C-alpha cells in the first residue's frame, strides 16, 4: 500500500484531503493525523476490523485498548453506558484538550477497540485538523499514538512516516505538535477518580475541579506488584536504541557526574548525547547536545522530549544522559516518560 502524505501548512485545512481522509476511515482504512499532544493513528472506532488493523500496523498487543476520539461533547453519551456527572464537569473545563476519560462503554463500542475491557477511553482533542478529520470520518475515531509499539510517540509527521509508511492509507501532516506528551488519562469508574497516565492536564488542575483525585500507585513506583490499570502503561515504552540514564541530585553534582560519564563513554568509543536547557548547553561535551528550552521550562522539555529521543536514534547515539526533573505540574508527565525511556535507570549523586 502506498501512504499518501498530505501537508497542510500551519493553521490551514485542506478540505479536499479531509474529505478523502474521512472516506478512507469510513471504508475501513487507516489515517494518521495531528493532535495537540502527539500524532494519532486513526481508524473507525466502531469497527472491529479497523481496530484490528490499528493493532497490526503498530505491532501492538491487542489487550491494550485504544482511545476513542470525538469532535463534539454530546457524542460522548453515544459511546458511554452512562455519563457520570464528573465527565461533564471535566469536559467543560478541559475539552477540547489533552484529557482522556475512562468510563463504562456502551454496546456499540466493539471489544476490539477496548482491548476486551468493558470501559472505553474518550478524548476530544484541541486541534483543528483533528476535529475536522474526526467529523469527516463519522465522529468516532480510535487512535493510539502513531508510532510502532515501543518507540517514542511521534511529534512530527516525518516520524509517523518512518514508522507507518506502507501500512496506512494517508498521513495528514500538521507540522510539529504543541504539547509533545500524550493526554492525561483519568479513570471515572472508581468512586474517587484516578489518574492512570500523567499529562499536560496536571493532578493539581484536576484536584481543583474535582476535589479528591488519586494517582494510580503503579505510576509512581515501577516495581509495584499489581498491574497498572491502563494496560499500555505496563509495556516498555519510548525506548531509544541507545542507553538513556537519568542523573538525580543537586545541579552541581549532576553536572559533574554527567561530565564524568560522558568522558568515560567517549574514551570507550561510544557516541554520546545529553539533554539540557539552553543555559547549561555549554557545560557538556558530547556528540549530540540537545537543548530543550530555557532553564526550568518544563513545557519545553515536554514538547521536545520525544523528538530528541528520535534524533538520538537518527544520529546513532549509544549513551545518553538527562537530569531528573521535579515531579510537580507537568514535570510529573515528563518524568514518567523519561523514566520509561531510561528503563528506570537512575543514578543518585
Ligand atoms: O494524547 C493521546 O492520548 C494520544 C493522541 C493520539 O490522542 N493517544 C495515545 O494513545 O496516547 P495510546 O494508545 O498510545 O495510549 C492510550 C493509553 C494506553 O496506555 C491504554 O492502555 C490506555 O490509554 N487506555 C485506553 N483505553 C483504556 C481503558 N478502557 N482503560 C484503561 N486504560 C485505557
Ligand atoms: Mg502510545
Amino acid at each position: 500500500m502506498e501512504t499518501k502524505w498530505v501537508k497542510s501548512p500551519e493553521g490551514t485545512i485542506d478540505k479536499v484531503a479531509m474529505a478523502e481522509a474521512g472516506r478512507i476511515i469510513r471504508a475501513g482504512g487507516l489515517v494518521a493525523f495531528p493532535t495537540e499532544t502527539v500524532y494519532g493513528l486513526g481508524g473507525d472506532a466502531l469497527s472491529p476490523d479497523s481496530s484490528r488493523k490499528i493493532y497490526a500496523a503498530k505491532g501492538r498487543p491487542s489487550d491494550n485498548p485504544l482511545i476513542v476520539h470525538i469532535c463534539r461533547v454530546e457524542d460522548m453519551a453515544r459511546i458511554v453506558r452512562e455519563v457520570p456527572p464528573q465527565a461533564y464537569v471535566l469536559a467543560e473545563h478541559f475539552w477540547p484538550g489533552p484529557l482522556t476519560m475512562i468510563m463504562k462503554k456502551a454496546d456499540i463500542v466493539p471489544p476490539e477497540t477496548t482491548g476486551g475491557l468493558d470501559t472505553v477511553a474518550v478524548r476530544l482533542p484541541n486541534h483543528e485538523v483533528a476535529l475536522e478529520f474526526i467529523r469527516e470520518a463519522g465522529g468516532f475515531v480510535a487512535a493510539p499514538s502513531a508510532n510502532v509499539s515501543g518507540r517514542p510517540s511521534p511529534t512530527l509527521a516525518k516520524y509517523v512516516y518512518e514508522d507507518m509508511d506502507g501500512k496506512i492509507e494517508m498521513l495528514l501532516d500538521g507540522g510539529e505538535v504543541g504539547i509533545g506528551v500524550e493526554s492525561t488519562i483519568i479513570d471515572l469508574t472508581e468512586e474517587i477518580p484516578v489518574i492512570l497516565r500523567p499529562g499536560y492536564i496536571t493532578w493539581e488542575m484536576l484536584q481543583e475541579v474535582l476535589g479528591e483525585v488519586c494517582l494510580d500507585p503503579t505510576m509512581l513506583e515501577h516495581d509495584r506488584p499489581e498491574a497498572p490499570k491502563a494496560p499500555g502503561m505496563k509495556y516498555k515504552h519510548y525506548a531509544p536504541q541507545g542507553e538513556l540514564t537519568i542523573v538525580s541530585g543537586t545541579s552541581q553534582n549532576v553536572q559533574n557526574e554527567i561530565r564524568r560519564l560522558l568522558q568515560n563513554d567517549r574514551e570507550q568509543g561510544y557516541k554520546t548525547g545529553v539533554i539540557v536547557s539552553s543555559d547549561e548547553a555549554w557545560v557538556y561535551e558530547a556528540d549530540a547536545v540537545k537543548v530543550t528550552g530555557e532553564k526550568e521550562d518544563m513545557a519545553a522539555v515536554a514538547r521536545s522530549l520525544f523528538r530528541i529521543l528520535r534524533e538520538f536514534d537518527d544520529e546513532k547515539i549509544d549513551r545518553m544522559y538527562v537530569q531528573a526533573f521535579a515531579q510537580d505540574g507537568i514535570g510529573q508527565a515528563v518524568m514518567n516518560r523519561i523514566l520509561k525511556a531510561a528503563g528506570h535507570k537512575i543514578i543518585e549523586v
Side-chain angles (χ1 to χ4, degrees), residues 38 58 60 64 144-147 151 153 182 197 237-238:
V38 298
K58 265 185 84 78
R60 172 174 181 155
N64 188 1
S145 49
N147 51 286
R151 296 208 71 197
S153 302
E182 307 89 338
R197 179 173 73 182
H237 249 92
Y238 316 126

Side-chain angles (χ1 to χ4, degrees), residues 200-274:
Y200 191 80
I201 306 291
T202 63
W203 189 17
E204 295 84 346
M205 290 155 82
L206 291 164
Q207 281 172 311
E208 208 163 290
V209 171
L210 292 180
E212 198 179 352
V213 176
C214 305
L215 291 180
D216 186 320
T218 64
M219 220 173 78
L220 301 171
E221 305 157 53
H222 73 289
D223 45 9
R224 298 278 300 195
E226 67 269 44
K229 207 171 166 195
M233 299 291 277
K234 71 175 179 271
Y235 296 108
K236 190 173 146 93
H237 249 92
Y238 316 126
Q241 274 137 33
E243 195 176 307
L244 175 68
T245 302
I246 305 166
V247 182
S248 170
T250 62
S251 83
Q252 195 56 56
N253 286 353
V254 168
Q255 282 185 7
N256 291 342
E257 180 66 4
I258 293 182
R259 283 163 60 102
R260 189 186 68 76
L261 289 161
L262 286 169
Q263 170 149 12
N264 215 354
D265 290 339
R266 278 208 313 280
E267 282 166 11
Q268 293 181 61
Y270 289 119
K271 273 190 97 174
T272 54
V274 60

Side-chain angles (χ1 to χ4, degrees), residues 35 37-40 60 64-67 69 100 102 117 119-121 123 143-145 182-183 185 196-197 229-233:
T35 79
T37 56
V38 298
Y39 275 79
R60 172 174 181 155
N64 188 1
L66 308 172
I67 296 174
H69 295 66
T100 296
I102 309 286
L117 298 176
T119 53
V120 61
R123 156 159 147 77
S145 49
E182 307 89 338
S183 61
I185 301 180
L196 304 185
R197 179 173 73 182
K229 207 171 166 195
M233 299 291 277

Side-chain angles (χ1 to χ4, degrees), residues 130-173:
L131 293 171
E132 183 69 23
F133 161 63
I134 297 164
R135 202 169 296 126
E136 290 284 348
F140 302 97
V141 172
S145 49
N147 51 286
V148 162
S149 200
R151 296 208 71 197
S153 302
T155 55
L156 285 161
K158 69 170 177 174
Y159 292 126
V160 178
Y161 196 75
E162 193 175 290
D163 283 13
M164 294 297 152
D165 180 26
K167 302 180 194 163
I168 62 176
E169 278 81 358
M170 193 183 235
L171 161 57
L172 296 170
D173 183 342

Side-chain angles (χ1 to χ4, degrees), residues 242-316:
E243 195 176 307
L244 175 68
T245 302
I246 305 166
V247 182
S248 170
T250 62
S251 83
Q252 195 56 56
N253 286 353
V254 168
Q255 282 185 7
N256 291 342
E257 180 66 4
I258 293 182
R259 283 163 60 102
R260 189 186 68 76
L261 289 161
L262 286 169
Q263 170 149 12
N264 215 354
D265 290 339
R266 278 208 313 280
E267 282 166 11
Q268 293 181 61
Y270 289 119
K271 273 190 97 174
T272 54
V274 60
I275 303 176
V276 288
S277 56
S278 49
D279 61 299
E280 281 193 318
W282 62 275
V283 174
Y284 301 106
E285 238 178 278
D287 296 294
V289 177
K290 301 290 182 186
V291 174
T292 54
E294 306 267 300
K295 191 178 170 66
E296 278 160 28
D297 181 352
M298 288 311 288
V301 181
R303 194 156 51 235
S304 53
L305 178 66
F306 289 149
R307 172 175 48 76
I308 289 173
L309 292 177
R310 293 246 178 189
E311 286 171 359
F312 280 147
D313 282 352
D314 295 344
E315 293 164 40
K316 304 210 164 19

